Amino acid sequence: MATPEFTAQVVGTGSYLHGDPIDNKQIEALLGPVPEDILEGIQVKERHWMIDPDTGEHLVTNSQMAAGAATAALERAGIEAGEVDLIVMSTASPEYLLPPAVTFVQEHLGIAECTTIEVRSGCAGFVEAADVARGYLERGTHRTALVIGSEAISPLLVPMYRGIDPERIRMRDRLVAYTFGDGAGALVLRAEPADPQTRAGVLGSSIVTMGGTKKPGMQVIGGSTHAPLHKQVLAKRLMELKVDVVESGKFIPHMITRSLREMLEISGVKAEDIALWVVPEGNAGYMTSELEAAGLLTDEWLALRDKIYENIERVGATGSAAVPLALDEAARAGRLRTGDNVLLLAIETSKWKYAGMTLVWAG
């Protein structure tokens, strides 16, 4: 394969989290308590919602959150919105089926014309979007790209508790509400001339769906074309978020092991040479115990577990926003230096897919 003429380098990151954080005591008042050991497993202590928890009214939109994260990333990069010629966005919770949410982000940023692409996915979607943008930049057809992951999950939670006595709410619904948060994260990628003598840009990437013959581990059902609309409106909830917690615990260790080994091989990097591993899905201690129980405690994992950066405790499970929120937080916390090898890895249970990318931090 010919060496690309350009490299796609990260020059800015940004986040948007709406309002003040909502802690577990506030969730308990809305939906009732969950056992302490379950809370410890969920790991989330606070999250942000784009709704008013008490009324369910929307206070901001998905695309507005995405634009907020994009604006922050552009400011950190010192780049004007007018310089952006490509926006790639991932979300599983757009305002509308059409137009794509990314076009509303373009509008919010005041960009009259640019290339826009939307990826419909959850946790893995942001890395997929980054890989799409990277391809355009490396080919030299575009110069400056915004890559955004944004989710508005809280509107799906409101029907679980609004107007219902917390004591009557099912435990599985409580678990979902304690787990998820809203938010958006973004990064700015810039095409720079490739120098064969310098390590820069993306070293490797991999996107694999392992669940082609498995039932979904997560589904958002309703409000689409899976069934006649006149039947959908008769359902207890117009839209429902379903999560298979049991199967996730069984299968995710296998996904982590395979994706980690594959990413290191594709990138030509040893585990010891990774400076930071962004894995927003859970803490290292919890995942170590899962891998040990599954007999999958590999040398690669042991070499990397102390280099994991995660923020699920502070923002909850945020789907497409998970990776960029954690990456931006790590950058602002001073955890990254120019020349560092950074591994992004997102595990998504919808159809058991993962997306990974290894890149050299440009600073």
Side-chain angles (χ1 to χ4, degrees), residues 224-266:
S224 193
T225 59
H226 70 287
L229 290 176
H230 66 270
K231 292 184 178 179
Q232 290 189 53
V233 296
L234 300 177
K236 183 178 179 181
R237 297 172 187 160
L238 177 60
M239 299 185 71
E240 185 174 6
L241 174 60
K242 291 186 175 181
V243 181
D244 189 339
V245 177
V246 175
E247 186 60 24
S248 295
K250 292 179 181 178
F251 199 59
I252 284 179
H254 296 275
M255 298 179 71
I256 292 174
T257 302
R258 172 176 166 176
S259 58
L260 175 56
R261 183 167 291 164
E262 184 175 272
M263 278 307 307
L264 293 172
E265 182 178 343
I266 288 173

Short mmCIF file of all heavy atoms in Angstrom, two decimals, residues 224-266:
data_model
loop_
_atom_site.label_atom_id
_atom_site.label_comp_id
_atom_site.label_asym_id
_atom_site.label_seq_id
_atom_site.Cartn_x
_atom_site.Cartn_y
_atom_site.Cartn_z
N SER A 224 -39.55 4.11 14.48
CA SER A 224 -38.89 3.93 13.20
C SER A 224 -39.74 3.04 12.30
O SER A 224 -40.98 3.09 12.40
CB SER A 224 -37.49 3.33 13.43
OG SER A 224 -36.71 3.42 12.26
N THR A 225 -39.14 2.21 11.47
CA THR A 225 -39.91 1.47 10.46
C THR A 225 -39.90 -0.04 10.68
O THR A 225 -40.15 -0.80 9.75
CB THR A 225 -39.35 1.77 9.05
OG1 THR A 225 -37.96 1.39 9.00
CG2 THR A 225 -39.47 3.24 8.72
N HIS A 226 -39.60 -0.48 11.90
CA HIS A 226 -39.55 -1.92 12.16
C HIS A 226 -40.94 -2.55 12.23
O HIS A 226 -41.09 -3.76 12.08
CB HIS A 226 -38.82 -2.19 13.48
CG HIS A 226 -39.59 -1.75 14.70
ND1 HIS A 226 -39.73 -0.42 15.03
CD2 HIS A 226 -40.28 -2.45 15.64
CE1 HIS A 226 -40.45 -0.33 16.13
NE2 HIS A 226 -40.80 -1.54 16.52
N ALA A 227 -41.95 -1.72 12.47
CA ALA A 227 -43.33 -2.21 12.59
C ALA A 227 -44.28 -1.11 12.15
O ALA A 227 -43.91 0.07 12.11
CB ALA A 227 -43.63 -2.61 14.05
N PRO A 228 -45.52 -1.46 11.77
CA PRO A 228 -46.49 -0.43 11.37
C PRO A 228 -46.67 0.62 12.46
O PRO A 228 -46.75 0.28 13.65
CB PRO A 228 -47.78 -1.23 11.16
CG PRO A 228 -47.32 -2.61 10.85
CD PRO A 228 -46.10 -2.83 11.68
N LEU A 229 -46.71 1.86 12.07
CA LEU A 229 -46.83 2.94 13.05
C LEU A 229 -48.11 2.83 13.87
O LEU A 229 -48.13 3.17 15.06
CB LEU A 229 -46.76 4.30 12.35
CG LEU A 229 -45.39 4.67 11.76
CD1 LEU A 229 -45.49 6.00 11.01
CD2 LEU A 229 -44.34 4.78 12.86
N HIS A 230 -49.19 2.33 13.26
CA HIS A 230 -50.45 2.25 14.01
C HIS A 230 -50.36 1.20 15.12
O HIS A 230 -51.13 1.24 16.07
CB HIS A 230 -51.62 1.95 13.07
CG HIS A 230 -51.58 0.61 12.41
ND1 HIS A 230 -50.96 0.40 11.20
CD2 HIS A 230 -52.09 -0.60 12.79
CE1 HIS A 230 -51.09 -0.88 10.85
NE2 HIS A 230 -51.76 -1.50 11.80
N LYS A 231 -49.40 0.27 14.99
CA LYS A 231 -49.17 -0.69 16.07
C LYS A 231 -48.19 -0.13 17.10
O LYS A 231 -48.33 -0.38 18.30
CB LYS A 231 -48.64 -2.00 15.50
CG LYS A 231 -49.65 -2.76 14.66
CD LYS A 231 -49.09 -4.10 14.20
CE LYS A 231 -50.13 -4.88 13.39
NZ LYS A 231 -49.58 -6.19 12.93
N GLN A 232 -47.21 0.63 16.61
CA GLN A 232 -46.22 1.20 17.53
C GLN A 232 -46.87 2.14 18.55
O GLN A 232 -46.48 2.17 19.72
CB GLN A 232 -45.14 1.94 16.76
CG GLN A 232 -44.21 1.05 15.95
CD GLN A 232 -43.03 1.83 15.40
OE1 GLN A 232 -42.32 2.51 16.13
NE2 GLN A 232 -42.82 1.73 14.09
N VAL A 233 -47.84 2.92 18.11
CA VAL A 233 -48.44 3.91 19.01
C VAL A 233 -49.26 3.25 20.12
O VAL A 233 -49.61 3.91 21.11
CB VAL A 233 -49.33 4.91 18.24
CG1 VAL A 233 -48.50 5.71 17.27
CG2 VAL A 233 -50.48 4.20 17.53
N LEU A 234 -49.55 1.97 19.99
CA LEU A 234 -50.29 1.25 21.03
C LEU A 234 -49.38 0.69 22.10
O LEU A 234 -49.86 0.19 23.13
CB LEU A 234 -51.09 0.10 20.40
CG LEU A 234 -52.14 0.50 19.34
CD1 LEU A 234 -52.80 -0.74 18.77
CD2 LEU A 234 -53.17 1.44 19.94
N ALA A 235 -48.07 0.74 21.88
CA ALA A 235 -47.12 0.19 22.85
C ALA A 235 -47.13 1.03 24.13
O ALA A 235 -47.49 2.21 24.13
CB ALA A 235 -45.72 0.15 22.26
N LYS A 236 -46.70 0.40 25.22
CA LYS A 236 -46.64 1.09 26.50
C LYS A 236 -45.72 2.30 26.42
O LYS A 236 -46.00 3.36 27.01
CB LYS A 236 -46.16 0.12 27.59
CG LYS A 236 -46.12 0.72 28.99
CD LYS A 236 -45.66 -0.32 30.01
CE LYS A 236 -45.61 0.28 31.41
NZ LYS A 236 -45.16 -0.71 32.41
N ARG A 237 -44.62 2.14 25.68
CA ARG A 237 -43.69 3.25 25.46
C ARG A 237 -43.43 3.35 23.97
O ARG A 237 -43.17 2.34 23.32
CB ARG A 237 -42.37 3.02 26.19
CG ARG A 237 -42.49 2.95 27.70
CD ARG A 237 -41.17 2.53 28.32
NE ARG A 237 -41.31 2.30 29.74
CZ ARG A 237 -40.47 1.58 30.46
NH1 ARG A 237 -39.42 1.02 29.88
NH2 ARG A 237 -40.67 1.41 31.76
N LEU A 238 -43.46 4.57 23.44
CA LEU A 238 -43.20 4.76 22.01
C LEU A 238 -41.80 4.28 21.65
O LEU A 238 -41.59 3.66 20.61
CB LEU A 238 -43.37 6.23 21.62
CG LEU A 238 -43.06 6.58 20.16
CD1 LEU A 238 -43.98 5.81 19.21
CD2 LEU A 238 -43.18 8.08 19.93
N MET A 239 -40.83 4.58 22.55
CA MET A 239 -39.46 4.13 22.34
C MET A 239 -38.96 3.48 23.63
O MET A 239 -39.29 3.92 24.73
CB MET A 239 -38.55 5.29 21.95
CG MET A 239 -38.94 5.97 20.65
SD MET A 239 -37.76 7.24 20.14
CE MET A 239 -36.38 6.23 19.65
N GLU A 240 -38.17 2.42 23.47
CA GLU A 240 -37.67 1.69 24.64
C GLU A 240 -36.21 1.31 24.44
O GLU A 240 -35.80 0.88 23.36
CB GLU A 240 -38.51 0.42 24.86
CG GLU A 240 -38.13 -0.33 26.13
CD GLU A 240 -39.06 -1.50 26.41
OE1 GLU A 240 -39.92 -1.79 25.55
OE2 GLU A 240 -38.93 -2.11 27.48
N LEU A 241 -35.43 1.49 25.50
CA LEU A 241 -34.02 1.13 25.50
C LEU A 241 -33.86 -0.20 26.23
O LEU A 241 -34.19 -0.31 27.41
CB LEU A 241 -33.20 2.22 26.19
CG LEU A 241 -31.71 1.97 26.40
CD1 LEU A 241 -31.00 1.74 25.08
CD2 LEU A 241 -31.07 3.12 27.17
N LYS A 242 -33.38 -1.21 25.51
CA LYS A 242 -33.20 -2.53 26.10
C LYS A 242 -31.71 -2.86 26.17
O LYS A 242 -30.97 -2.67 25.20
CB LYS A 242 -33.91 -3.60 25.26
CG LYS A 242 -35.44 -3.51 25.31
CD LYS A 242 -36.06 -4.69 24.58
CE LYS A 242 -37.58 -4.68 24.72
NZ LYS A 242 -38.20 -5.84 24.04
N VAL A 243 -31.26 -3.38 27.32
CA VAL A 243 -29.86 -3.73 27.54
C VAL A 243 -29.77 -5.14 28.10
O VAL A 243 -30.44 -5.46 29.09
CB VAL A 243 -29.19 -2.73 28.51
CG1 VAL A 243 -27.72 -3.10 28.69
CG2 VAL A 243 -29.34 -1.30 28.01
N ASP A 244 -28.96 -5.99 27.48
CA ASP A 244 -28.73 -7.35 27.95
C ASP A 244 -27.49 -7.35 28.84
O ASP A 244 -26.36 -7.56 28.37
CB ASP A 244 -28.56 -8.31 26.78
CG ASP A 244 -28.54 -9.77 27.20
OD1 ASP A 244 -28.25 -10.04 28.39
OD2 ASP A 244 -28.80 -10.65 26.36
N VAL A 245 -27.68 -7.09 30.12
CA VAL A 245 -26.57 -6.96 31.05
C VAL A 245 -25.83 -8.28 31.23
O VAL A 245 -24.59 -8.33 31.30
CB VAL A 245 -27.07 -6.44 32.41
CG1 VAL A 245 -25.92 -6.36 33.41
CG2 VAL A 245 -27.73 -5.07 32.26
N VAL A 246 -26.55 -9.38 31.29
CA VAL A 246 -25.95 -10.69 31.53
C VAL A 246 -25.01 -11.08 30.40
O VAL A 246 -23.86 -11.47 30.62
CB VAL A 246 -27.04 -11.76 31.72
CG1 VAL A 246 -26.40 -13.15 31.85
CG2 VAL A 246 -27.88 -11.46 32.96
N GLU A 247 -25.48 -10.99 29.17
CA GLU A 247 -24.65 -11.38 28.04
C GLU A 247 -23.47 -10.43 27.87
O GLU A 247 -22.38 -10.85 27.43
CB GLU A 247 -25.49 -11.41 26.75
CG GLU A 247 -24.76 -11.95 25.53
CD GLU A 247 -24.26 -13.38 25.70
OE1 GLU A 247 -24.83 -14.13 26.53
OE2 GLU A 247 -23.30 -13.76 25.00
N SER A 248 -23.66 -9.16 28.23
CA SER A 248 -22.55 -8.20 28.16
C SER A 248 -21.40 -8.65 29.04
O SER A 248 -20.23 -8.62 28.65
CB SER A 248 -23.03 -6.81 28.58
OG SER A 248 -23.97 -6.30 27.67
N GLY A 249 -21.73 -9.07 30.25
CA GLY A 249 -20.70 -9.53 31.17
C GLY A 249 -19.95 -10.75 30.66
O GLY A 249 -18.77 -10.93 30.94
N LYS A 250 -20.65 -11.60 29.90
CA LYS A 250 -20.03 -12.81 29.37
C LYS A 250 -19.16 -12.55 28.14
O LYS A 250 -18.08 -13.13 27.99
CB LYS A 250 -21.12 -13.83 29.00
CG LYS A 250 -21.89 -14.40 30.16
CD LYS A 250 -22.95 -15.37 29.65
CE LYS A 250 -23.78 -15.95 30.79
NZ LYS A 250 -24.84 -16.86 30.28
N PHE A 251 -19.63 -11.68 27.25
CA PHE A 251 -19.00 -11.56 25.93
C PHE A 251 -17.99 -10.43 25.83
O PHE A 251 -17.02 -10.52 25.05
CB PHE A 251 -20.08 -11.39 24.85
CG PHE A 251 -19.62 -11.71 23.47
CD1 PHE A 251 -19.12 -12.97 23.15
CD2 PHE A 251 -19.65 -10.76 22.46
CE1 PHE A 251 -18.68 -13.27 21.87
CE2 PHE A 251 -19.22 -11.05 21.17
CZ PHE A 251 -18.73 -12.32 20.88
N ILE A 252 -18.17 -9.37 26.59
CA ILE A 252 -17.26 -8.23 26.49
C ILE A 252 -15.81 -8.60 26.77
O ILE A 252 -14.90 -8.11 26.08
CB ILE A 252 -17.74 -7.07 27.39
CG1 ILE A 252 -18.93 -6.37 26.74
CG2 ILE A 252 -16.62 -6.06 27.62
CD1 ILE A 252 -19.51 -5.22 27.54
N PRO A 253 -15.49 -9.47 27.76
CA PRO A 253 -14.08 -9.84 27.96
C PRO A 253 -13.44 -10.42 26.70
O PRO A 253 -12.27 -10.14 26.41
CB PRO A 253 -14.16 -10.88 29.07
CG PRO A 253 -15.36 -10.50 29.85
CD PRO A 253 -16.35 -10.03 28.82
N HIS A 254 -14.19 -11.20 25.93
CA HIS A 254 -13.65 -11.76 24.69
C HIS A 254 -13.42 -10.65 23.66
O HIS A 254 -12.44 -10.69 22.91
CB HIS A 254 -14.60 -12.81 24.13
CG HIS A 254 -14.77 -14.00 25.03
ND1 HIS A 254 -13.90 -15.07 25.01
CD2 HIS A 254 -15.68 -14.27 25.99
CE1 HIS A 254 -14.28 -15.97 25.90
NE2 HIS A 254 -15.36 -15.51 26.51
N MET A 255 -14.32 -9.66 23.62
CA MET A 255 -14.16 -8.55 22.69
C MET A 255 -12.94 -7.70 23.04
O MET A 255 -12.18 -7.28 22.16
CB MET A 255 -15.43 -7.68 22.70
CG MET A 255 -16.68 -8.41 22.25
SD MET A 255 -18.15 -7.35 22.32
CE MET A 255 -17.83 -6.22 20.95
N ILE A 256 -12.74 -7.45 24.33
CA ILE A 256 -11.59 -6.66 24.76
C ILE A 256 -10.30 -7.36 24.39
O ILE A 256 -9.37 -6.75 23.84
CB ILE A 256 -11.66 -6.41 26.29
CG1 ILE A 256 -12.82 -5.48 26.63
CG2 ILE A 256 -10.34 -5.83 26.79
CD1 ILE A 256 -13.05 -5.30 28.11
N THR A 257 -10.22 -8.65 24.69
CA THR A 257 -8.99 -9.40 24.42
C THR A 257 -8.65 -9.40 22.94
O THR A 257 -7.51 -9.13 22.54
CB THR A 257 -9.15 -10.86 24.92
OG1 THR A 257 -9.44 -10.85 26.31
CG2 THR A 257 -7.88 -11.65 24.68
N ARG A 258 -9.64 -9.70 22.10
CA ARG A 258 -9.38 -9.75 20.67
C ARG A 258 -9.02 -8.39 20.11
O ARG A 258 -8.05 -8.24 19.36
CB ARG A 258 -10.60 -10.31 19.94
CG ARG A 258 -10.43 -10.21 18.43
CD ARG A 258 -11.56 -10.82 17.67
NE ARG A 258 -11.52 -10.40 16.28
CZ ARG A 258 -12.35 -10.85 15.35
NH1 ARG A 258 -13.26 -11.75 15.65
NH2 ARG A 258 -12.26 -10.41 14.11
N SER A 259 -9.79 -7.37 20.47
CA SER A 259 -9.57 -6.04 19.89
C SER A 259 -8.23 -5.46 20.33
O SER A 259 -7.53 -4.83 19.52
CB SER A 259 -10.71 -5.09 20.28
OG SER A 259 -10.82 -4.98 21.69
N LEU A 260 -7.84 -5.67 21.56
CA LEU A 260 -6.57 -5.15 22.05
C LEU A 260 -5.40 -5.78 21.31
O LEU A 260 -4.50 -5.09 20.82
CB LEU A 260 -6.45 -5.40 23.56
CG LEU A 260 -5.13 -5.02 24.21
CD1 LEU A 260 -4.82 -3.55 23.96
CD2 LEU A 260 -5.19 -5.31 25.71
N ARG A 261 -5.43 -7.09 21.21
CA ARG A 261 -4.34 -7.78 20.52
C ARG A 261 -4.28 -7.37 19.04
O ARG A 261 -3.20 -7.13 18.50
CB ARG A 261 -4.55 -9.29 20.65
CG ARG A 261 -3.45 -10.15 20.05
CD ARG A 261 -3.60 -11.58 20.51
NE ARG A 261 -3.31 -11.72 21.93
CZ ARG A 261 -3.64 -12.79 22.66
NH1 ARG A 261 -4.29 -13.79 22.10
NH2 ARG A 261 -3.33 -12.86 23.93
N GLU A 262 -5.44 -7.25 18.41
CA GLU A 262 -5.48 -6.88 17.00
C GLU A 262 -4.99 -5.46 16.78
O GLU A 262 -4.24 -5.18 15.83
CB GLU A 262 -6.91 -7.03 16.48
CG GLU A 262 -7.06 -6.75 15.00
CD GLU A 262 -8.47 -7.01 14.52
OE1 GLU A 262 -8.77 -8.16 14.15
OE2 GLU A 262 -9.27 -6.07 14.53
N MET A 263 -5.38 -4.54 17.66
CA MET A 263 -4.97 -3.14 17.50
C MET A 263 -3.46 -2.97 17.62
O MET A 263 -2.84 -2.21 16.87
CB MET A 263 -5.68 -2.26 18.54
CG MET A 263 -7.09 -1.87 18.15
SD MET A 263 -7.18 -1.10 16.52
CE MET A 263 -5.96 0.20 16.69
N LEU A 264 -2.84 -3.67 18.56
CA LEU A 264 -1.39 -3.57 18.73
C LEU A 264 -0.68 -4.11 17.50
O LEU A 264 0.31 -3.54 17.02
CB LEU A 264 -0.96 -4.32 19.99
CG LEU A 264 -1.44 -3.71 21.31
CD1 LEU A 264 -1.11 -4.64 22.47
CD2 LEU A 264 -0.81 -2.34 21.55
N GLU A 265 -1.20 -5.23 16.97
CA GLU A 265 -0.57 -5.83 15.79
C GLU A 265 -0.71 -4.93 14.57
O GLU A 265 0.26 -4.70 13.83
CB GLU A 265 -1.21 -7.19 15.52
CG GLU A 265 -0.60 -7.93 14.34
CD GLU A 265 -1.23 -9.30 14.13
OE1 GLU A 265 -1.89 -9.81 15.05
OE2 GLU A 265 -1.05 -9.87 13.02
N ILE A 266 -1.91 -4.41 14.34
CA ILE A 266 -2.15 -3.55 13.18
C ILE A 266 -1.32 -2.27 13.25
O ILE A 266 -0.80 -1.79 12.24
CB ILE A 266 -3.65 -3.20 13.07
CG1 ILE A 266 -4.45 -4.43 12.62
CG2 ILE A 266 -3.89 -2.04 12.12
CD1 ILE A 266 -5.94 -4.23 12.64
#
